[in-house]
């Protein structure tokens, strides 16, 4: 695995000019005063997810069912990135306060993230009876992400926080009524069919 990444934009030029044999082409990679670069370790751990659930169903009546489930997920060694060139907070120009002032952001890509998801999911469903059906479901959950902190002033560490996509409460209700028209229904059940004498 190449331990760095370079993004280039070409307009009306689809010729690949850089190769691993002569990557730099005898010149600087960019004309930017403070280029943004990204690095990655040459050996990374394989990410993995563990999913598990446990549930029970109970029939409350001939056409109504209650279901309660615990659903969980644990992810380890997931893709993440850490900016290791964040400037110290102070007055003045930004570049001079960076640990590596000749560069802009330096995003280090690694398998440093993990997440945990736990939820209690309940649903109540009434099967079609008299043409009417309904379903109500509720989910109570928590999603937590752990990742490296941005490196500011040489300080590093880990941060555990609520995920950006965490939705702790989710309620959905749907209902419907089957129209009694068509094959096997109360009205027009023999429409278009053959009637024997």
């Amino acid at each position: 695995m190449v331990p760095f990444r370079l993004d280039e934009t070409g307009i009306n030029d689809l010729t690949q000019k850089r190769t691993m044999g002569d990557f730099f082409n005898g010149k600087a990679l960019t004309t930017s005063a403070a280029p943004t670069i990204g690095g990655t370790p040459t050996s990374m751990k394989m990410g993995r997810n563990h999913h598990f659930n446990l549930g029970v169903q109970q029939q409350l009546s001939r056409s109504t069912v209650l279901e309660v489930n615990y659903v969980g997920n644990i992810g380890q060694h997931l893709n993440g990135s850490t900016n290791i060139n964040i400037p110290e907070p102070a007055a003045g120009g930004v570049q001079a306060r960076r640990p590596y002032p000749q560069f802009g952001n330096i995003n280090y890509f690694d398998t440093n993230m993990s997440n945990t998801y736990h939820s209690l999911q309940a649903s109540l469903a009434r099967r079609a009876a008299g043409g009417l059906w309904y379903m109500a479901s509720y989910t109570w959950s928590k999603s937590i992400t752990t990742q490296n902190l941005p490196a500011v002033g040489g300080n590093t560490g880990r941060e555990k926080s609520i995920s950006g996509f965490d939705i702790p409460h989710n309620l959905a209700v749907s209902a419907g009524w089957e129209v009694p028209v068509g094959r096997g229904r109360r009205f027009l059940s023999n429409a278009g069919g053959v009637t024997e004498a």
Side-chain angles (χ1 to χ4, degrees), residues 1-52:
M1 175 176 235
V2 179
F4 55 85
R5 186 181 80 177
L6 172 70
D7 294 331
E8 288 187 306
T9 301
I11 300 175
N12 297 327
D13 184 4
L14 301 178
T15 305
Q16 176 64 39
K17 295 181 178 179
R18 298 187 190 275
T19 66
M20 292 307 296
D22 184 18
F23 188 81
F24 294 97
N25 290 328
K27 59 184 179 180
L29 286 178
T30 178
T31 58
S32 172
T36 293
I37 61 174
T40 184
T42 55
S43 176
M44 292 195 292
K45 295 180 179 178
M46 179 68 70
R48 60 181 181 234
N49 270 306
H50 303 280
H51 304 270
F52 39 90

Side-chain angles (χ1 to χ4, degrees), residues 15-163:
T15 305
Q16 176 64 39
K17 295 181 178 179
R18 298 187 190 275
T19 66
M20 292 307 296
D22 184 18
F23 188 81
F24 294 97
N25 290 328
K27 59 184 179 180
L29 286 178
T30 178
T31 58
S32 172
T36 293
I37 61 174
T40 184
T42 55
S43 176
M44 292 195 292
K45 295 180 179 178
M46 179 68 70
R48 60 181 181 234
N49 270 306
H50 303 280
H51 304 270
F52 39 90
N53 61 67
L54 176 67
V56 293
Q57 275 187 349
Q58 178 64 47
Q59 185 170 349
L60 302 180
S61 70
R62 206 171 73 147
S63 58
T64 305
V65 174
L66 173 67
E67 183 174 353
V68 179
N69 293 289
Y70 162 75
V71 178
N73 176 48
I74 294 177
Q76 296 175 320
H77 310 303
L78 305 178
N79 292 340
S81 66
T82 305
N83 187 353
I84 62 172
N85 204 27
I86 294 179
E88 289 278 354
V94 170
Q95 280 308 119
R97 292 184 279 116
R98 290 184 186 273
Y100 307 97
Q102 67 272 35
F103 296 105
N105 292 329
I106 301 177
N107 294 309
Y108 188 72
F109 298 91
D110 199 357
T111 52
N112 60 27
M113 289 183 63
S114 62
N115 68 6
T116 305
Y117 174 81
H118 299 285
S119 69
L120 177 66
Q121 303 176 3
S123 66
L124 182 67
R126 182 181 189 271
R127 301 185 197 104
L132 179 66
W133 63 267
Y134 65 79
M135 180 173 181
S137 61
Y138 172 74
T139 301
W140 177 65
S141 65
K142 180 165 281 192
S143 178
I144 299 171
T145 299
T146 304
Q147 64 186 25
N148 288 345
L149 286 169
V152 179
N155 297 324
T156 58
R158 304 277 289 162
E159 175 184 49
K160 180 183 266 189
S161 62
I162 299 296
S163 303

Side-chain angles (χ1 to χ4, degrees), residues 130-131 177-191:
W177 181 65
E178 292 183 0
V179 179
V181 176
R183 174 176 276 182
R185 302 291 197 277
R186 190 168 152 196
F187 299 110
L188 302 177
S189 60
N190 291 326

